[in-house]
Amino acid sequence: MRRAKITGTGMYVPDRVVTNADLTQFMDTSDEWIVQRSGIRERRWIEPGQAPSDLARAACQQALEAASLEVSDVDCILLATLSSEHDFPGTSFFLHEKLGAGEIPCLDLRAQCSGFLYALSFADALVVSGKYRRVLVVGCEVHSTGLDISTRGRDVAVLFGDGAGAVVVEANDDPEDPSGLLELRLHAQGRHADKLWIEAPSSASSPVRLTHEMIDDGRVFPKMEGRFVFKHAVRRMPEVLHEALSAASIKLDDVGLFLFHQANLRINEFVANQLGIPPDKLFNNIERYGNCSAASIPMLLAECARNGRLQPGQIVCLTAFGSGFTWASAVVRW
Ligand code: UT7
């Protein structure tokens, strides 16, 4: 039976490091508060002139190189983001041009912090069905240009960073090679859409999508009911993780590495504790990059591929929760 397999990973973050101390220039906050509540010590912000598609291009080029492929070998590009370069067309089209992707199809997926796992799931379906042999799956975010970095927006602004991660998903037809995506489980609950969202601009706002008042009221910045989101995250992540493992007939103890979306170190430690996951099986990088939404999981994969944490044959479990609400989990044999 054909499986879809990740054959290359890549990531890119801008050079500009913004520490917690740097943020105190703009807002009333402290390194102590940010580290204690979220585990974040620094994040990356783009420099003027850099676009989301530039970050995505660098991540994709690394992933293609790791898979020993050229962009001309790819059949389709799926890009997950919540911070689109423009309202339309999607960021994937700007990436498409920068990669020189000819005339292959591309599209943006909007499932926020679970977006990469949603995109991976669709890539899996496209490959397993035989529609495509190779799909480039990208998570890419530039949050820094959309944050309220005054004290008014400090609860959200300190959490987010810019970055991109990418993987190549290829068909694996080798009966001797058991590696590949074993299970992907996706969920959503639109009821809580406004618990973590950006209200404006909105095409539901008549007669115009954006007014001076919306800007003055800060409705163009992300808003979150932090505690409400936290409570749902720590319930849904274990739930969907168990669901995916059980569908793949894999025991929790047989998982070699757990990679969770990087929203908050406390969420990940809480979930790991709840499930009895030993600390050495959990890898986080939120301390260095903050929350990069759809880019977080492919960035973790790229770092783990490079630091030797991902070994052939190892079972890896990827789990995310985010705005929408969305939550998802994937079980992968590396
Ligand atoms: O990626 C998508 C999914 N996202 C998540 O899962 C995030 C879920 N939520 C969280 O991670 C946490 O709720 C936060 C890290 C966002 C906040 O932590 P918290 O412990 O829930 O803090 P809080 O929002 O209840 O705020 C506690 C206090 C408040 O002051 P008072 O009302 O107690 O006087 C805030 O005004 O901390 C204050 N505060 C800050 N102080 C210094 C909020 N933001 C800051 C800040 N610096 N940046």
Side-chain angles (χ1 to χ4, degrees), residues 23 27-31 33-34 36-38 82 112-114 151 153-160 196 224-234 237 261-267 291-293 296 321-323 325:
L23 293 178
M27 63 185 86
D28 178 15
T29 190
S30 65
D31 179 55
W33 191 97
I34 301 170
Q36 219 175 63
R37 305 282 172 143
S38 71
L82 66 76
Q112 298 67 251
C113 296
S114 309
T151 297
R154 66 180 180 174
D155 58 327
V156 173
V158 300
L159 303 175
F160 289 97
L196 174 51
M224 168 163 66
E225 280 189 35
R227 290 188 176 197
F228 187 88
V229 177
F230 192 105
K231 273 196 277 182
H232 282 257
V234 297
M237 287 172 67
H261 169 53
Q262 304 289 292
N264 186 328
L265 192 61
R266 286 192 304 146
I267 292 180
N291 181 348
C292 297
S293 300
S296 286
F321 179 88
S323 157
F325 287 157

